[in-house]
Amino acid sequence: IRGDVSTQHSDSSEGSAATVNTPVVIGDHVSTGKRSRAEIQLDHANVLRMSDESTANIVNLSRTQIQLQVGQGLVNYDVMKGSEADVEIDTPNVAIHPQMNNEGSYRILVNSDGETIVDVRKGSVEISTPQGSTQVERDQRITIQGNADNAQYQIAAAGTRDEWDKWNSDRDHAIESAESWQHTNPYYTGSQDLDAYGHWSDVPDYGSVWFPTADAGWAPYRDGRWVYEPYYGWTWVSYEPWGWAPYHYGRWFVYGGNWGWWPGPVYGGYRPIWAPAYVSFLGFGGGGFGVGIGFGFGGGFGSVGWLPVGPGDRFYPWYGRGVNRVNGVNVYNHNN
């Protein structure tokens, strides 16, 4: 996030200021203010970046399907290595379908309900209207004018790259070249944030473990807040800039007097399970305390405590079953 960015849930009439590490869910409306930017990591391989005074709706998010609506402004949609999603980006007068299973970078400018301009920087896209569809290849620009029922298009050479393109390219490089990908599951999102805020060490019986750069006495699940999200229930939102992957995947434990994060299995074919948090809750009061398996926070947290779940510790999910969980960076369908 750079500048003012707001999100609004589909069941709410009011928007709120967006913060880093807050999940994005189906139905969310995201908007950027003047001189502002946002990057939304939809899963491990699909990223939407929004320039200032832009709007986007999250219509659908799953492992195999992503659908967005861009109402106005300049955005970039990037597909990185390993994407498994069929993507559709809708503007007021056209549907944009990046080629599946291929990397790509697509600059999309919505000037009005009657004009959309798409520059293909990498990959290829299918552009569709009720009149038909056409393919646009790398280094080409397509301009679509008119409403959806009578739209006309023109294909020419893509526009000259500018500062917006450089920023997108730099962000892609920062994500793809991160050293931490050598230690984490490829389906994680947020691994690239770890490089600048800690170090990896080989720990007996665990393998690679990440240790954040922190003051003495630091502990996980402390610098942040609990937020109630419609798709997951109570969700931990960290204030730490690296605080996505280590709080929604893997486990924390103490080694050599310091807290370390074990990312979990990284072998091929294993799909990690994202969770709103990996903690055990403890209820206090009533003459004693016990581990809470199910709970409701009600009006506050005065009677609830929590601590990180370690490797091998039993984990009691509190967030129901059969819910489609979308995390702004990864998507899974859980049954339990």
Side-chain angles (χ1 to χ4, degrees), residues 48-294:
L48 174 69
R49 299 192 183 97
M50 304 172 62
S51 186
D52 64 334
E53 298 185 273
S54 300
T55 63
N57 296 325
I58 312 300
V59 178
N60 194 12
L61 281 174
S62 71
R63 185 173 62 84
T64 58
Q65 188 173 26
I66 295 174
Q67 184 179 3
L68 310 174
Q69 294 172 337
V70 178
Q72 69 178 42
L74 174 63
V75 306
N76 221 79
Y77 194 91
D78 288 74
V79 182
M80 300 182 189
K81 183 179 179 181
S83 176
E84 300 176 358
D86 182 10
V87 177
E88 177 176 319
I89 306 155
D90 299 319
T91 75
N93 67 344
V94 70
I96 303 162
H97 299 268
Q99 186 176 14
M100 277 196 67
N101 304 319
N102 283 294
E103 297 177 52
S105 182
Y106 312 100
R107 173 179 172 138
I108 303 166
L109 175 63
V110 180
N111 283 322
S112 67
D113 287 355
E115 184 177 77
T116 300
I117 301 173
V118 181
D119 286 298
V120 179
R121 299 305 191 192
K122 180 168 62 174
S124 65
V125 293
E126 181 183 71
I127 303 294
S128 301
T129 69
Q131 289 74 44
S133 62
T134 188
Q135 200 76 13
V136 185
E137 304 297 335
R138 179 172 183 157
D139 296 329
Q140 289 185 328
R141 164 182 288 184
I142 184 169
T143 302
I144 305 98
Q145 293 184 322
N147 60 45
D149 294 328
N150 61 13
Q152 297 181 340
Y153 68 84
Q154 180 181 29
I155 296 178
T160 304
R161 295 176 181 265
D162 57 14
E163 191 273 335
W164 169 254
D165 296 289
K166 182 179 184 304
W167 182 68
N168 279 279
S169 179
D170 289 346
R171 287 296 304 148
D172 285 348
H173 179 73
I175 293 173
E176 294 177 312
S177 65
E179 186 267 342
S180 290
W181 288 117
Q182 301 176 30
H183 306 278
T184 65
N185 191 287
Y187 287 102
Y188 283 9
T189 304
S191 293
Q192 71 276 1
D193 298 327
L194 305 180
D195 284 14
Y197 297 99
H199 68 277
W200 291 91
S201 294
D202 190 68
V203 175
D205 299 326
Y206 293 97
S208 293
V209 176
W210 183 75
F211 292 90
T213 302
D215 296 333
W218 178 90
Y221 289 104
R222 181 181 291 173
D223 188 13
R225 70 190 190 283
W226 290 102
V227 174
Y228 192 85
E229 294 289 347
Y231 278 85
Y232 335 121
W234 292 104
T235 302
W236 181 255
V237 176
S238 170
Y239 296 147
E240 291 139 330
W242 49 262
W244 182 266
Y247 291 124
H248 300 300
Y249 302 102
R251 300 291 190 271
W252 287 91
F253 68 99
V254 176
Y255 179 79
N258 297 307
W259 283 95
W261 176 64
W262 175 64
V266 296
Y267 54 82
Y270 170 76
R271 286 194 171 279
I273 296 189
W274 185 91
Y278 279 106
V279 300
S280 291
F281 287 92
L282 301 103
F284 297 90
F289 68 90
V291 175
I293 298 177

Side-chain angles (χ1 to χ4, degrees), residues 1-5 17-21 37-39:
I1 291 175
R2 291 186 181 180
D4 297 324
V5 181
T19 60
V20 173
N21 297 324
R37 289 179 179 176
E39 177 180 278

